Amino acid sequence: MTVAALLPALLDPPAGRPALAFPDGALTYPELAARAGAVAREIAGLDRVAVWATPTLPTVVGIVAALLAGVPAVPVNPRSGPRELAHVVADAAPGAVLADPTVDLPAALAEVRRIPVPREPDRPGGPALRNVDSDLPGTAPALVIYTSGTTGPPKGAVLSRAAIATNLDALADAWDWSDADVLAHALPLFHVHGLVLGVLGPLRRGGAVRHLGAFSAPALAATVDAGATLVFGVPTHYHRLADELATDPAAAALVGRARLLVSGSAALTAVDHARLQRLTGLAVRERYGLTETLILTAARADEPVEPGTVGRPLAGVELRLVAEDAGDDLGAVEVRSPGMFSGYLNRTDPPATPDGWFPTGDIGRWTASGALALVGRRATDLIKSGGFKIGAGEIENALLEHPTVREAAVVGVPDDDLGERVIAFVVAAGAADGAALADHVASLLSPHKRPREVRFVDALPRNDMGKVVKARLPR
Ligand code: MCA
Ligand code: AMP
């Protein structure tokens, strides 16, 4: 599969057309093309570049530069712990790191050539941008996004240019997403949700994105008032939005002027769905996907919302439910899609079965209308907290490195705000202190992986084979 051009509006930038607005500044298409084009010329020919992915303009300029140069970009969580960052740098082996010149980069990046992404106004003109897609196959890697597995350090999912282009076009079809749309969100820029959907989505359409910096109801209301038509967020954003709008009817009315509110990355509760509908008049549309597959299903703009479902498969996506027992209407979700990743960087495990099916690890059922309802996940070792996927094994390994920990089991428990929160069960070796153990984890890994609670137990429940049975842990 080939891609005509991943970001056509940057090759022929419409004069004066807004592209990006962040709390730290705004760029039109010609300004973005000039600035990213200058960086693209500096990095041309590199195998891969890291982008220090703060939620700021230089991050988008860096990512766009890499895509214009045909150099795969690795967005890096700027709050990565030293353990994760060292792994990502060693695994991705970037030829350069693109970063806002004002930030201090940590020691793990000291050996990597740093290319500052200019913050000052663009240098106008410059040679016209070449369309690298005319030379590259669609399978050429565009992004490497690190995502947690059940055990071990995060793995880099390689996403091709064709996967991104076809997935964004399928979403445009589902949501009537056009260059007239202005997207508002406050998502991080190192995951598929905020970066692929939230930045490349509008840029591929030739529309605009306004990043709020930090999410708040007043900021969102003002942005919708200023013309934003689409809102993307994780359920934690929508939970907090419902809380805030409950005491701010003026903001609720403004938010209600948006065309679509879209939630993803984790399940939106029925309570928050109903609260937001009552407050804004809008039914939040859910969509479902994974870093490895991009987006698979979505509630369409031109159809009524069926609360509790994540919509129907997008154009080109095949989705099947594999039931354990015949006649069971619940099944393991497996997919085959043009948005599928190409594999994990430096790993030989095949990305899918020989006939192309990828097991998502989610369990679902079809509703009468053909929409998918997700009912849970297979692995208790994967936790979704605030929309971030967290592997229990990575935290258990960090805990086990502490001298006061003999055994550890990490699970997610329900949380009104985060969906799930991380808690650790620990069999102590000597005098252990829960707060110190949580700090120990946060000193190695990203702060969102810090256990919110450490419970000490005499022994972990184990089966006859000696394997820990997390379902039997006291919740
Ligand atoms: C922040 N903290 C968290 C989380 N986020 N702890 C647990 N789970 C979290 N998700 C911690 C911080 O480390 C910090 O701890 C403290 O909470 C306050 O930090 P702050 O930055 O103020 O947090 P927040 O603003 O309250 O963050 C909540 C959030 C954030 C905005 C919902 O978690 C977030 O941006 N989530 C989006 C995740 C996302 O984009 N997922 C997409 C991947 P301390 O005080 O210890 O430092 S999924 C994907 O891409 C697929 C394709 C899909 O379907 O979308
Ligand atoms: P990640 O690997 O971080 O991309 O997370 C992918 C996982 O997020 C999926 O396997 C689902 O478990 C979960 N997910 C994404 N969107 C939704 C949604 N709308 N409802 C429920 N779970 C979701």
Side-chain angles (χ1 to χ4, degrees):
M1 163 155 244
T2 55
V3 176
L6 183 52
L7 299 174
L10 281 151
L11 300 176
D12 186 13
R17 189 169 183 85
L20 310 168
F22 277 68
D24 62 325
L27 292 176
T28 62
Y29 273 91
E31 288 167 339
L32 175 60
R35 209 177 290 190
V39 178
R41 283 187 282 279
E42 274 190 73
I43 61 174
L46 293 180
D47 285 346
R48 217 172 280 135
V49 290
V51 178
W52 191 247
T54 50
T56 58
L57 273 183
T59 298
V60 179
V61 174
I63 294 282
V64 170
L67 295 173
L68 291 174
V71 175
V74 188
V76 178
N77 175 357
R79 300 199 69 191
S80 302
R83 174 69 49 88
E84 290 157 305
L85 188 57
H87 165 71
V88 168
V89 173
D91 191 52
V97 54
L98 307 183
D100 178 340
T102 64
V103 303
D104 287 330
L105 293 180
L109 283 160
E111 302 299 314
V112 182
R113 176 180 156 211
R114 177 172 181 163
I115 298 181
V117 176
R119 270 192 161 269
E120 68 276 10
D122 62 296
R123 307 156 223 175
L129 290 167
R130 206 173 49 85
N131 179 13
V132 288
D133 287 300
S134 24
D135 308 333
L136 288 174
T139 51
L143 296 173
V144 181
I145 307 243
Y146 279 82
T147 178
S148 290
T150 49
T151 55
K155 297 176 280 188
V158 180
L159 300 170
S160 70
R161 299 176 78 89
I164 292 172
T166 49
N167 202 243
L168 291 176
D169 293 351
L171 283 175
D173 167 64
W175 294 333
D176 299 327
W177 192 354
S178 75
D179 62 354
D181 280 305
V182 177
L183 170 64
H185 70 83
L187 291 156
L189 301 186
F190 47 86
H191 276 309
V192 164
H193 195 168
L195 181 62
V196 177
L197 275 60
V199 171
L200 302 183
L203 295 182
R204 181 159 169 83
R205 300 271 75 79
V209 55
R210 296 202 185 138
H211 198 282
L212 305 174
F215 188 86
S216 77
L220 182 64
T223 307
V224 174
D225 193 30
T229 56
L230 300 176
V231 180
F232 288 176
V234 294
T236 301
H237 287 134
Y238 286 111
H239 177 76
R240 295 177 184 179
L241 183 65
D243 282 351
E244 289 185 69
L245 294 183
T247 56
D248 191 346
L254 287 175
V255 171
R257 285 203 222 144
R259 190 167 74 76
L260 294 177
L261 305 182
V262 181
S263 174
S265 303
L268 183 73
T269 65
V271 172
D272 287 335
H273 185 277
R275 284 205 297 163
L276 285 162
Q277 186 152 23
R278 212 166 40 241
L279 289 161
T280 65
L282 293 173
V284 178
R285 283 178 163 73
E286 287 197 75
R287 95 296 176 284
Y288 157 64
L290 287 80
T291 303
E292 290 88 341
T293 61
L294 300 180
I295 303 309
L296 298 166
T297 69
R300 295 181 61 90
D302 57 3
E303 291 179 0
V305 175
E306 191 179 346
T309 77
V310 291
R312 289 191 285 113
L314 295 178
V317 172
E318 295 174 85
L319 197 151
R320 68 182 184 189
L321 299 181
V322 181
E324 236 161 56
D325 299 311
D328 199 348
D329 70 339
L330 294 183
V333 179
E334 297 194 352
V335 300
R336 200 153 65 169
S337 149
M340 190 82 77
F341 72 140
S342 320
Y344 297 111
L345 195 67
N346 301 326
R347 293 176 67 117
T348 48
D349 29 344
T353 60
D355 52 355
W357 290 96
F358 177 85
T360 62
D362 296 304
I363 314 274
R365 67 178 169 79
W366 296 114
T367 68
S369 69
L372 179 70
L374 292 171
V375 298
R377 260 195 319 271
R378 273 191 142 166
T380 47
D381 284 338
L382 285 177
I383 300 159
K384 260 280 157 133
S385 172
F388 284 125
K389 187 183 261 184
I390 300 174
E394 198 185 7
I395 302 176
E396 288 159 3
N397 289 341
L399 285 167
L400 287 168
E401 284 177 31
H402 196 276
T404 66
V405 175
R406 178 173 305 143
E407 293 176 38
V410 166
V411 294
V413 296
D415 184 278
D416 284 347
D417 181 46
L418 295 169
E420 287 184 291
R421 70 175 181 281
V422 173
I423 70 168
F425 290 86
V426 165
V427 179
D433 166 12
L437 291 181
D439 285 349
H440 165 74
V441 172
S443 74
L444 296 172
L445 308 175
S446 302
H448 68 264
K449 297 180 181 173
R450 169 202 291 272
R452 297 284 175 124
E453 198 186 323
V454 177
R455 293 191 199 164
F456 292 102
V457 288
D458 292 335
L460 297 177
R462 291 183 185 273
N463 64 15
D464 294 344
M465 313 290 289
K467 190 174 179 307
V468 175
V469 184
K470 292 193 174 179
R472 297 218 312 257
L473 285 165
R475 305 286 168 98

